[in-house]
Amino acid sequence: MESRNIMIVGVGGQGTLLASVLLGNLALDKGYDVKLSEVHGMAQRGGSVVTHVKIDREHVNSPLIEPGDADMIIAFEELEAYRWMPYLKKGGVMYVNTQQIMPMPVVLGQAEYPQDIIARLKEKAGRVVAFDALAIAESCGSVKAVNVVLLGAASRDLPFDTDEWQQVIEKNVKTKFIDLNKMAFDQGRTAGGNE
């Protein structure tokens, strides 16, 4: 891998920042230049959160990914996948948690949640891997592990082996949550292969 542009998208509280830190630190450990940029609105209230992760063997100039330049989008929620779809390059891959979190306009009856999002994504993306990451996280012991479940799935398209991922989890996650996150990663990696 010479370079990779990856967007991690979700809503506030889903752990997008931790996911980008794990990915970024692993790439740094392997000798890549890495730039991270987090962009969000009212994240603490369930608003949209997006993290740009740019990885290059030589040098990353700008931390931001432009529309049509993302090699991969890791989406923690269906609507966020759909919202950021224009950033995916032709032939790019999306990893999508099939969870639906209703934004405030939908809750207030001012808008409708779009239907058939996964089918719409599949019409436009090179490849879409969509699965219930929330259920897997719950089975591992915490709904907060959705982020690591999705990283596990996406790891199939990244040039780092499982042991390296497990090491970066050990270095960056609180001790009491390491085993849970390792299990979440492994189960996500398995789910990512069941397209």
Side-chain angles (χ1 to χ4, degrees), residues 65-133:
I65 298 169
E66 298 295 326
D69 282 346
D71 298 291
M72 177 188 294
I73 295 177
I74 303 170
F76 293 14
E77 194 269 345
E78 284 188 19
L79 186 57
E80 293 303 315
Y82 191 62
R83 182 187 319 257
W84 296 101
M85 174 75 196
Y87 282 76
L88 191 67
K89 71 170 43 171
K90 187 172 182 173
V93 61
M94 296 186 85
Y95 284 88
V96 184
N97 176 19
T98 54
Q99 182 180 6
Q100 296 180 347
I101 299 173
M102 300 300 138
M104 195 52 66
V106 172
V107 171
L108 295 174
Q110 299 167 346
E112 289 187 18
Y113 196 95
Q115 299 300 306
D116 303 317
I117 288 177
I118 300 302
R120 293 182 192 189
L121 296 175
K122 288 181 175 180
E123 288 174 5
K124 297 181 180 180
R127 195 165 111 245
V128 176
V129 180
F131 64 99
D132 189 348

Side-chain angles (χ1 to χ4, degrees), residues 51-67:
T51 305
H52 300 240
V53 182
K54 294 183 82 172
I55 301 168
D56 193 277
R57 184 52 79 185
E58 298 298 324
H59 181 70
V60 175
N61 292 318
S62 165
L64 296 179
I65 298 169
E66 298 295 326

